[in-house]
Amino acid sequence: MTTYSLVRNAGPLWEAATRSAFLNALAAGSLAANSFRRWLAQDYLFAKDLMAFQAVLLTKTPRDCHKPLTGGLAALDNEMGWFESHAAGLQVDLDIPPHPTCRRYTDFLLRCVYTQPYPVLLAILFGVEASYLAAWSALPLSGPYAEFIERWSSADFATYVAALGGLAKRHTHEAAQEHFNEVLGHEQEFWKMSWED
């Protein structure tokens, strides 16, 4: 990820967004089931609003952005179904209100998608997906959550993130780093929410 200037220039914010006590416990196989269920429900609610963000972003971007963005929307739609099937098996209630931490994150995304130019939005989306990939890719493919780790550290996901990174490199804006950094702050808080509540 350090090949991307947005990541390099984020400094310690990157590490804080991609490492957490929640992930450490998950890697060790000691994460409490309740913590994982809480995270799964909130991540599902986050993904619902991320889909809205991506749909509006698509309408604002030039043609060279469309293929990875439409592919990302289709993958996110599949992800929603995957979340739903696993939630049923894990007895996770997805019909709940978002945690205030989740709501602050999605409010940020939805506010930005209507107020910021598309190059800033590309940096935001790259921040969301790149930090997620980095967090999950650092975990061993073992233990009770191996299926989840494998899904979110897959080669297909890495290819998508690389495509987003390419778009963010080509379409730059002076406010991109500020908003990328804000994403990382929200990511850090999301992991803390899943661990502490």
Side-chain angles (χ1 to χ4, degrees):
M1 291 296 180
T2 54
T3 59
Y4 299 101
S5 62
L6 288 168
V7 173
R8 290 195 308 274
N9 294 337
L13 291 174
W14 178 257
E15 183 76 13
T18 57
R19 302 290 182 266
S20 72
F22 177 93
L23 291 166
N24 290 342
L26 197 151
S30 60
L31 183 68
N34 282 343
S35 291
F36 188 77
R37 285 195 290 266
R38 178 169 57 247
W39 170 83
L40 189 69
Q42 294 300 317
D43 205 49
Y44 173 80
L45 296 173
F46 173 83
K48 285 176 68 175
D49 282 346
L50 181 63
M51 181 173 285
F53 172 91
Q54 290 184 217
V56 177
L57 169 58
L58 179 63
T59 71
K60 300 178 77 167
T61 55
R63 181 73 180 109
D64 74 302
C65 300
H66 289 178
K67 186 171 183 179
L69 293 180
T70 55
L73 270 171
L76 189 54
D77 183 62
N78 289 336
E79 188 85 346
M80 300 298 288
W82 190 82
F83 266 120
E84 289 155 4
S85 65
H86 278 73
L90 292 170
Q91 298 181 322
V92 176
D93 182 8
L94 298 178
D95 189 24
I96 59 171
H99 186 281
T101 297
C102 180
R103 174 52 64 202
R104 282 191 294 272
Y105 196 175
T106 59
D107 282 351
F108 162 73
L109 294 179
L110 297 176
R111 180 175 67 252
C112 286
V113 82
Y114 289 108
T115 60
Q116 296 299 321
Y118 78 84
V120 173
L121 302 178
L122 290 172
I124 288 172
L125 181 58
F126 175 61
V128 170
E129 301 291 30
S131 59
Y132 200 73
L133 173 65
W136 288 98
S137 296
L139 304 178
L141 282 174
S142 60
Y145 303 110
E147 178 185 358
F148 297 85
I149 297 168
E150 183 175 16
R151 183 176 185 88
W152 294 313
S153 61
S154 70
D156 285 346
F157 187 35
T159 298
Y160 171 59
V161 170
L164 293 179
L167 294 180
K169 278 185 177 180
R170 291 202 302 276
H171 302 277
T172 60
H173 191 279
E174 60 184 7
Q177 188 69 55
E178 173 191 348
H179 287 77
F180 181 88
N181 290 355
E182 190 161 351
V183 166
L184 300 183
H186 285 294
E187 286 289 327
Q188 181 183 10
E189 291 303 311
F190 203 97
W191 292 122
K192 285 174 63 179
M193 168 204 72
S194 303
W195 177 249
E196 294 174 357
D197 281 0

